[in-house]
Amino acid sequence: MFKQQVGVIGMAIMGKNLALNIESKGYTVSIFNRTPKSTNEVILNNPNKNIKPYYTLKNFVKSIIKPRRIFIMVKSGKATIEVINYLIKFISKKDIIIDCGNTYYKNSIKMNNKLNSMGFYYIGAGISGGEEGALKGPAIMPGGNLTAYKLILPIFKKIAASYKNEPCVNYIGKNGSGHYVKMIHNGIEYSDMQLISETYFILKKGLNLNNKQISKIFENWNKGELNSYLIEITKNILIKKDKNKKYLIDVISDEANNKGTGKWMCEEALNLKEPLNLIMQSVFMRYISNMKKQRLKASKILKCSENKYKIKNKINFIKKIKQSLYFSKIISYAQGFSQLTKASKKNKWNLNYSNIAKIFRSGCIIKAKLLQNITNSYIKNPNIKNILLTKYFSNIINNYQNSLRDVIIFSIRLGIPIPVFNASISYYDSYRCANLSTNLIQAQRDYFGAHTYKRIDKNGIYHTKWLK
Ligand code: 6PG
């Protein structure tokens, strides 16, 4: 029987596109889906491809050359776990399962250990880039056994996006680390999107610009330091019209959904004691956005000040908004990478941050020009605690911070919700403050609970009998 070189399970849009991507790079591919309908559609809509459909997992497995390389792209969580548990009934020792979903990294660790103990390999590979990325080249973040990784690497290199001829894939580290990095990617994606949305609102509500004008502004910004995939799509979104010739953005409900990866990153941040306030606020904004009924009621009860605040020099103020966006974006990436360094230490992953930043340079949702600067910083010094402390980033931040202060004051006066811009200046002012107000917290803790405190003028641990 003629066998295929690669297997792909899951024929929803992402899995289908991944299979087509792999096939287009010269591999023969076996495909399987829980329901045959999707499998048949792939075959029907893609004639003359080296793709063979299978309708039972057993036959699917049998159809692949050993050691088998099987990509799984089904819904993360229960569905992925079920597929793998069923699949292991048929595979052989040394076969490699590549879990491409947004699997929770702790489940990735569990699955890796389970499969390894049975003699199979598991690669937890975060894949980013949406539908188009899966088809034309995603960013790939694989973690797991290094031997297995090397066996998949030729395929990864061919199917990944590339940045100046470098494929956007690098070995992340031991088990769980690939999915962890994907979780960080997604958290940053949340704050990037929220910051762009706040920017859009300031331009719209604060400066009274229309969709076309705002789109043009994003288009211009995309030519400079803010260049990114998300700015690019935003400029397109803003000018898209529906059948009734209405701007689509104006009729889309503001209730923003999520699949939980941003929340995971926040939970992790709390466990690692990482003050991840931009991404947390971005997650909270999605939650507030879903309190639609309450917000509608509140909008009739709760007031904003009557303060009218006009901008005299719009062009100059738009420049300030641009600098505010870049400032906040840098703070968010600084926090994301700072969390990575803590997670790496805790899990003994020995992560290579410049290699991770390199992966993000193309193919993924957070693809941005900034990532080359982050890459450079980590190449120069792999032990950076926080990129804000590098000469390159501290220069930009120092230059732009006043713009953000002006933009925040303006927006707050008008009652425009900008929680993530606020979070970014709060973090910045706290992080750069040598002596915070938290000395008072220590005193209060000691006062009511004898929790003790340290002094700045001498060593030791102290307790005061405050009422004596
Ligand atoms: C990607 C994306 C993707 C994610 C969606 C939706 O890298 O291609 O991160 O993995 O699932 O962006 O995420 P939310 O539903 O949580 O917004």
Side-chain angles (χ1 to χ4, degrees):
M1 180 177 121
F2 186 79
K3 295 196 176 200
Q4 274 68 244
Q5 293 161 299
V6 180
V8 179
I9 297 178
M11 285 300 118
I13 186 78
M14 291 290 287
K16 178 192 85 175
N17 282 356
L18 191 69
L20 290 169
N21 183 355
I22 297 172
E23 194 272 348
S24 75
K25 300 298 174 322
Y27 295 96
T28 53
V29 183
S30 295
I31 59 168
F32 174 83
N33 192 68
R34 193 173 48 88
T35 52
K37 192 171 167 262
S38 308
T39 311
N40 288 337
E41 270 169 19
V42 175
I43 299 299
L44 210 70
N45 297 332
N46 299 280
N48 308 320
K49 301 262 184 222
N50 285 316
I51 297 181
K52 286 251 150 58
Y54 291 89
Y55 300 95
T56 66
L57 261 186
K58 194 174 173 186
N59 289 342
F60 166 81
V61 170
K62 269 210 255 167
S63 75
I64 305 163
I65 298 168
K66 285 188 199 170
R68 300 183 178 92
R69 294 168 295 188
I70 300 174
F71 290 77
I72 300 183
M73 190 59 116
V74 300
K75 222 168 168 224
S76 62
K78 209 168 148 241
T80 300
I81 295 170
E82 273 173 15
V83 167
I84 298 177
N85 284 339
Y86 195 43
L87 190 62
I88 54 183
K89 293 192 172 113
F90 308 112
I91 58 175
S92 316
K93 297 247 147 84
K94 299 231 161 69
D95 282 355
I96 308 163
I97 291 178
I98 307 121
D99 173 4
C100 303
N102 277 332
T103 295
Y104 182 47
Y105 85 99
K106 285 188 181 166
N107 289 342
S108 189
I109 294 176
K110 269 192 218 153
M111 196 51 95
N112 186 85
N113 292 343
K114 178 176 169 176
L115 294 200
N116 279 181
S117 72
M118 298 170 84
F120 310 129
Y121 288 130
Y122 171 89
I123 294 288
I127 294 216
S128 174
E131 290 171 31
E132 202 184 312
L135 182 66
K136 295 185 183 156
I140 310 177
M141 298 142 242
N145 183 292
L146 188 58
T147 313
Y149 169 76
K150 285 182 181 159
L151 292 169
I152 310 285
L153 187 58
I155 305 181
F156 277 157
K157 275 186 173 169
K158 282 186 189 152
I159 64 168
S162 70
Y163 180 86
K164 294 189 177 160
N165 289 327
E166 252 187 277
C168 292
V169 57
N170 275 311
Y171 179 63
I172 301 291
K174 281 192 301 192
N175 57 9
S177 59
H179 279 129
Y180 196 96
V181 168
K182 178 63 190 353
M183 176 186 79
I184 298 282
H185 166 283
N186 280 28
I188 291 176
E189 172 186 307
Y190 277 51
S191 60
D192 268 348
M193 292 165 81
Q194 178 60 32
L195 282 166
I196 295 173
S197 302
E198 289 178 19
T199 303
Y200 147 74
F201 233 38
I202 300 168
L203 293 167
K204 181 178 165 157
K205 303 255 174 194
L207 299 188
N208 293 316
L209 301 180
N210 63 35
N211 293 327
K212 218 169 143 193
Q213 290 167 318
I214 302 172
S215 168
K216 196 77 204 153
I217 289 171
F218 281 123
E219 189 180 335
N220 287 332
W221 291 356
N222 205 30
K223 291 177 189 143
E225 61 195 2
L226 272 169
N227 174 269
S228 69
Y229 169 74
L230 285 167
I231 295 277
E232 165 87 26
I233 64 165
T234 305
K235 79 140 177 34
N236 296 338
I237 288 168
L238 289 171
I239 46 172
K240 180 82 182 166
K241 293 197 175 159
D242 68 5
K243 278 185 204 142
N244 306 321
K245 303 251 182 296
K246 272 189 182 161
Y247 283 107
L248 192 53
I249 187 68
D250 295 336
V251 290
I252 292 182
S253 164
D254 64 356
E255 294 152 292
N257 291 332
N258 77 94
K259 293 198 195 76
T261 46
K263 178 182 137 234
W264 293 343
M265 183 172 171
C266 295
E267 288 168 349
E268 265 300 299
L270 290 173
N271 292 334
L272 292 168
K273 300 191 167 75
E274 175 65 39
L276 190 76
N277 65 335
L278 273 76
I279 291 168
M280 281 203 191
Q281 276 298 344
S282 307
V283 173
F284 290 163
M285 258 325 246
R286 296 209 188 179
Y287 296 167
I288 290 193
S289 82
N290 278 291
M291 296 160 66
K292 185 78 176 178
K293 267 194 185 157
Q294 274 190 58
R295 284 191 293 112
L296 282 173
K297 197 169 176 191
S299 70
K300 297 194 176 76
I301 300 172
L302 305 176
K303 291 199 168 63
C304 174
S305 71
E306 291 299 313
N307 212 332
K308 291 276 171 265
Y309 193 75
K310 278 254 172 318
I311 293 296
K312 286 191 197 95
N313 185 339
K314 270 196 186 178
I315 306 266
N316 190 38
F317 197 73
I318 290 169
K319 193 174 160 205
K320 287 186 180 188
I321 299 174
K322 177 185 168 209
Q323 294 184 339
S324 303
L325 180 55
Y326 197 52
F327 176 105
S328 303
K329 185 177 171 81
I330 292 172
I331 302 270
S332 181
Y333 281 65
Q335 292 183 354
F337 274 82
S338 169
Q339 179 161 332
L340 266 186
T341 60
K342 286 187 183 162
S344 177
K345 200 169 164 208
K346 185 179 166 196
N347 296 291
K348 299 194 178 64
W349 281 330
N350 199 17
L351 296 180
N352 181 322
Y353 310 106
S354 56
N355 276 352
I356 292 170
K358 273 184 180 178
I359 299 176
F360 294 158
R361 289 177 305 180
S362 190
C364 61
I365 307 296
I366 67 167
K367 163 185 161 177
K369 199 172 180 181
L370 168 70
L371 283 151
Q372 183 57 50
N373 306 114
I374 297 180
T375 304
N376 296 344
S377 300
Y378 279 109
I379 288 176
K380 223 172 175 184
N381 175 11
N383 300 317
I384 298 169
K385 282 258 181 303
N386 187 319
I387 58 166
L388 300 181
L389 301 176
T390 63
K391 198 160 169 251
Y392 179 81
F393 285 111
S394 59
N395 271 341
I396 301 174
I397 289 289
N398 284 333
N399 280 335
Y400 288 4
Q401 42 111 15
N402 275 330
S403 293
L404 178 58
R405 293 182 200 282
D406 289 347
V407 169
I408 286 178
I409 291 165
F410 168 76
S411 309
I412 286 184
R413 285 221 166 116
L414 290 179
I416 300 169
I418 45 148
V420 180
F421 277 129
N422 277 332
S424 99
I425 204 70
S426 300
Y427 176 84
Y428 175 71
D429 282 337
S430 310
Y431 187 65
R432 62 173 194 86
C433 182
N435 289 301
L436 288 166
S437 60
T438 38
N439 54 342
L440 181 56
I441 289 178
Q442 279 301 76
Q444 289 165 335
R445 291 176 72 247
D446 190 58
Y447 188 116
F448 62 65
H451 293 296
T452 72
Y453 56 88
K454 284 195 271 182
R455 299 177 59 109
I456 54 172
D457 53 353
K458 46 187 174 179
N459 288 334
I461 305 287
Y462 295 88
H463 166 58
T464 295
K465 294 204 178 345
W466 294 90
L467 290 177
K468 272 201 177 160

